Amino acid sequence: MAKVPPFGRSQVDGEDPAGLSLAAAPELLTARGEPAAVSRGAGGVHAFLGVCAVLVDGRGPEEFALGHLKAAVNIGLEGRYAEFAGSVVTPEDDIILITDPERELEGKNRLGRIGFDRVIGYLKDPYAVMFENQRDVEVASRLTTNALGERIADVPELQLIDVRNPGEAEAGMIANAVNIPVGQLPERLAELDPRRPTVVYCAGGYRSSMAASLLRKHGFDDVSDLLGGYNA
């Protein structure tokens, strides 16, 4: 399947993206084999989001940032996929996968190894779906180190979140950041203010993209993550 052009550039200033929706009722999976395909339909993407399924987008952070469905959580297949999925998704959640072509079964199987057997389907032709439903697509704000420095200087209410593990954070943190490891983030959302501009960082950018997408899913409107992470 050919990719459609990206919907916009990854942004560095937290601007609000346009909203969107998708459709189709997912079919239940059999115990074995390929996950069922969820195709776009007349009702829009939001129709299958109404079943309370979690959209897990397995593309890399860079591609995710260029365009993804609203409410999707970015857990890249190229990283420690199952481990981190297990820290932000529960075994009781119904899951719909978004992956690059022909990686759906890989995503399902890797989740199955940790007991996540409620993958109810995958989004068929995700690039076509996003292209046809651009109001339900958003881009992710990713900051360079220089842009972060400017943001810190210009936005006194900025909320900085370090999602590395405590041992990593002990070696050094950005001034005024709070350390909430990504696996603890779902349980500690109440410690954060969704109304404040927020920047998330990790060591290299994988966990921060996941954490930032999780915050957006929970109503944080102005969220960015740091390109290259603390080591940039």
Side-chain angles (χ1 to χ4, degrees):
M1 178 184 66
K3 295 182 182 179
V4 299
F7 311 102
R9 293 176 297 170
S10 177
Q11 305 189 33
V12 296
D13 55 4
E15 72 180 63
D16 289 333
L20 153 151
S21 337
L22 305 175
E27 301 173 6
L28 293 177
L29 296 180
T30 57
R32 298 175 180 273
E34 296 278 354
V38 180
S39 59
R40 57 197 182 279
V45 175
H46 64 278
F48 67 66
L49 296 181
V51 303
C52 299
V54 178
L55 277 176
V56 175
D57 193 321
R59 298 174 299 153
E62 297 81 7
E63 193 167 5
F64 179 83
L66 291 173
H68 59 269
L69 292 177
K70 287 184 172 180
V73 179
N74 182 216
I75 310 173
L77 280 163
E78 299 302 331
R80 288 145 58 188
Y81 179 72
E83 174 187 345
F84 286 119
S87 65
V88 298
V89 182
T90 73
E92 293 76 32
D93 288 326
D94 289 332
I95 297 169
I96 293 175
L97 300 178
I98 299 174
T99 71
D100 286 321
E102 301 182 0
R103 300 198 71 180
E104 305 87 8
L105 183 57
E106 176 190 351
K108 178 194 171 188
N109 287 344
R110 288 172 67 179
L111 292 174
R113 293 189 191 111
I114 61 167
F116 285 61
D117 57 4
R118 296 185 63 84
V119 177
I120 61 175
Y122 73 93
L123 184 62
K124 185 178 180 181
D125 298 332
Y127 294 101
V129 170
M130 288 189 282
F131 185 78
E132 294 172 8
N133 296 270
Q134 293 187 36
R135 289 179 303 170
D136 286 338
V137 173
E138 61 183 357
V139 296
S141 172
R142 309 201 81 196
L143 302 178
T144 63
T145 54
N146 287 340
L148 174 59
E150 293 173 0
R151 202 97 206 270
I152 291 171
D154 296 340
V155 184
E157 70 274 22
L158 188 68
Q159 187 168 231
L160 280 167
I161 308 170
D162 183 333
V163 295
R164 297 175 299 163
N165 293 327
E168 297 173 277
E170 287 174 4
M173 293 174 57
I174 297 175
N176 300 316
V178 57
N179 179 222
I180 303 179
V182 68
Q184 298 178 17
L185 191 57
E187 301 173 355
R188 297 177 62 181
L189 290 172
E191 298 177 26
L192 304 171
D193 187 347
R195 298 165 298 181
R196 291 172 59 187
T198 302
V199 176
V200 185
Y201 70 91
C202 63
Y206 178 90
R207 287 172 288 178
S208 63
S209 179
M210 177 171 60
S213 66
L214 186 67
L215 292 175
R216 293 186 197 100
K217 176 178 172 63
H218 286 277
F220 288 68
D221 292 328
D222 185 350
V223 183
S224 305
D225 78 311
L226 180 60
L227 278 166
Y230 186 76
N231 297 324

